[in-house]
């Protein structure tokens, strides 16, 4: 895993949970626009340092995501770095309490939400234990619920802007990751007349994908000739090698940190492949949560704000074109200006 070379954030706090024994890193990248927000990830890492690095990288991305979405927040992230093996799931309740304690220790400068390895129910428990700094609790408990549908909606808005003025009907779209967001994206693309090819490491999802009308493949979709590639699994999919072999014209998806490093964005630009940065495309979930839980928006207002990701996408693509920038450089400049 690449090390984060420079520390551009405000706070990195690493503690060992007293109940779980797990290393927990909470990174606050920025509170300049308001309290930092970002999900809480529970995942196995080769070492706690790798977990802390992930928290730093993901918190910086959250700052850009919030700024581009016009939210009154900066970026933060929590990572609980499980040992690569030997973790006893019976210790999970203790870990959730440790996470609540680690987040509460930051005194409200950081608010969390679900991410890989955590659920709305975990947020309800963190919210209860730390007195109210967790988004996306179940709706019946006063939260805005799971963010998957909102995230999928935002990706579709970005995708539509990326193919504009064309339509998705008839396009060949490859989706990597048939999880909670990926399958909603597939469903919507199929309804709009796209030809959808899907892959997932979990082969048990194949019948569901085929029932929806998608084609299942075990091929490496990054290398397939596609109109659109949708990364909807884990991050780091696009490396210098895979970008050089990529067969898609447009890449847009919810997966966080899709490019291994920024040189990859240059390779994609130079090959004429349009990559819509994940900080733009994946903001639907956070827009929905903040809109509903903090800004007093109803569902229609939150959805309208998510659909505006199309305008942000068009602005980023135009800025990149006009200045000869990569799309991530363009997104960073627009985020700093906003
Ligand atoms: N859920 C949200 O609201 C949200 C918001 C912003 C960003 N994201 C990001 O979007 C991505 C998808 O989120 P999700 O909630 O659907 O997650 P999920 O865990 O429900 O689904 C991920 C799917 O990817 C599959 N997968 C993992 N590694 C793979 C690989 N190498 N190749 C193919 N498939 C693989 C898994 O089997 C799983 O089915 C994640 O990177 C997440 O961090 C999600």
């Amino acid at each position: 895993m690449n090390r984060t070379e420079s520390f551009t954030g405000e706070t990195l706090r690493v503690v060992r949970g007293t109940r779980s024994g797990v290393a927990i890193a909470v990174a606050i990248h920025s509170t300049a626009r308001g309290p930092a927000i970002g999900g809480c990830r529970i995942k196995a890492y080769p070492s706690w340092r790798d977990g802390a690095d992930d928290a730093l990288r993901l918190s910086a991305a959250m700052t850009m995501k919030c700024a581009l979405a016009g939210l009154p927040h900066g970026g933060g992230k929590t990572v609980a770095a499980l040992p690569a093996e030997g973790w006893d799931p019976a210790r999970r309740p203790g870990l959730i309490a440790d996470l609540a304690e680690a987040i509460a220790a930051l005194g409200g400068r950081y608010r969390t939400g679900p991410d890989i390895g955590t659920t709305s129910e975990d947020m309800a428990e963190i919210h209860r234990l730390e007195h109210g700094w967790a988004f996306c609790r179940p709706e019946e408990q006063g939260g805005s619920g799971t963010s998957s549908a909102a995230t999928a909606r935002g990706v579709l808005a970005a995708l539509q802007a990326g193919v504009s003025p064309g339509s998705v009907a008839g396009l060949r779209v490859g989706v990597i990751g048939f999880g909670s967001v990926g399958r909603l994206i597939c469903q919507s693309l199929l309804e709009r007349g796209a030809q959808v090819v899907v892959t997932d490491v979990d082969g048990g999802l194949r019948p569901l994908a085929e029932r929806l009308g998608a084609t299942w493949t075990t091929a490496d979709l990054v290398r397939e000739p596609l109109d659109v590639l949708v990364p909807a699994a884990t991050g780091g999919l696009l490396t210098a090698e895979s970008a050089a072999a990529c067969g898609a014209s447009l890449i847009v998806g919810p997966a966080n940190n899709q490019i291994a490093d920024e040189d990859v964005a240059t390779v994609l630009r130079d090959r004429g492949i349009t990559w819509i940065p994940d900080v733009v495309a994946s903001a639907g979930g956070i827009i929905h949560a903040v809109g509903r839980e903090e800004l007093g928006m109803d569902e229609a207002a939150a959805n309208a704000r998510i659909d505006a990701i199309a305008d942000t996408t068009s602005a980023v693509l135009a800025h990149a074109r006009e200045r000869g920038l990569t799309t991530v450089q363009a997104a960073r400049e627009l985020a700093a200006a906003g």
Side-chain angles (χ1 to χ4, degrees):
M1 180 172 285
N2 293 336
R3 284 265 173 269
T4 301
E5 295 302 338
S6 56
F7 180 55
T8 59
E10 291 178 13
T11 306
L12 173 66
R13 191 166 179 272
V14 183
V15 295
R16 180 165 298 283
T18 53
R19 305 162 187 83
S20 62
V22 171
I24 295 170
V26 188
I28 295 180
H29 182 260
S30 172
T31 54
R33 297 174 61 91
I37 56 174
C40 177
R41 178 167 294 194
I42 301 180
K43 186 171 170 282
Y45 287 88
S47 83
W48 67 268
R49 285 191 181 83
D50 295 309
D53 258 330
D54 228 6
L56 288 172
R57 246 192 315 271
L58 291 161
S59 66
M62 282 304 297
T63 296
M64 264 173 83
K65 195 186 279 195
C66 290
L68 288 163
L71 299 176
H73 289 288
K77 201 80 185 183
T78 301
V79 169
L82 300 182
E85 49 192 44
W87 162 249
D88 178 3
R91 300 173 82 179
R92 200 170 184 284
L95 175 56
I96 297 295
D98 287 338
L99 285 164
E101 196 173 275
I103 291 163
L106 291 161
R109 291 173 60 226
Y110 164 70
R111 301 170 185 182
T112 197
D115 196 80
I116 293 170
T118 54
T119 62
S120 289
E121 286 69 27
D122 295 329
M123 293 309 112
E125 184 62 1
I126 289 174
H127 188 93
R128 188 181 71 77
L129 290 167
E130 59 167 305
H131 312 297
W133 293 320
F135 289 101
C136 298
R137 287 168 294 140
E139 287 175 82
E140 60 278 14
Q141 294 186 44
S144 58
T146 168
S147 54
S148 307
T151 301
R153 186 178 183 110
V155 171
L156 289 158
L159 192 158
Q160 182 55 61
V163 300
S164 175
S167 105
V168 300
L171 295 186
R172 184 170 149 82
V173 184
V175 179
I176 301 179
F178 194 65
S180 49
V181 180
R183 76 188 61 165
L184 292 171
I185 293 171
C186 284
Q187 194 169 359
S188 183
L189 289 170
L190 288 161
E191 284 164 8
R192 297 177 195 194
Q195 301 166 43
V196 180
V197 191
V198 184
T199 190
D200 196 294
V201 285
D202 182 355
L205 296 170
R206 179 175 184 158
L208 180 58
E210 289 180 341
R211 262 204 306 282
L212 285 183
T215 304
W216 186 267
T217 184
T218 51
D220 179 2
L221 279 178
V222 175
R223 288 156 202 271
E224 291 285 305
L226 295 167
D227 296 303
V228 187
L229 175 68
V230 179
T234 47
L237 176 79
L238 298 165
T239 61
E241 293 73 37
S242 65
C246 180
S249 309
L250 171 69
I251 304 174
V252 52
N256 289 316
N257 288 0
Q258 289 165 23
I259 53 172
D261 58 58
E262 290 212 9
D263 292 345
V264 176
T266 308
V267 175
L268 293 171
R269 180 198 60 188
D270 294 350
R271 293 196 59 225
I273 298 170
T274 303
W275 173 60
I276 300 175
D278 35 282
V279 289
V280 178
S282 73
I286 199 74
I287 292 171
H288 183 259
V290 173
R292 292 303 311 272
E293 296 187 32
E294 275 192 355
L295 304 180
M297 291 182 186
D298 62 16
E299 200 61 23
N303 281 339
R305 188 81 175 255
I306 295 166
D307 292 343
I309 287 176
D311 302 330
T312 310
T313 302
S314 301
V316 167
L317 297 182
H319 191 65
R321 243 186 341 263
E322 283 156 17
R323 304 286 174 96
L325 301 172
T326 66
T327 49
V328 69
Q329 289 166 336
R332 187 177 298 112
E333 286 195 0
L334 292 185

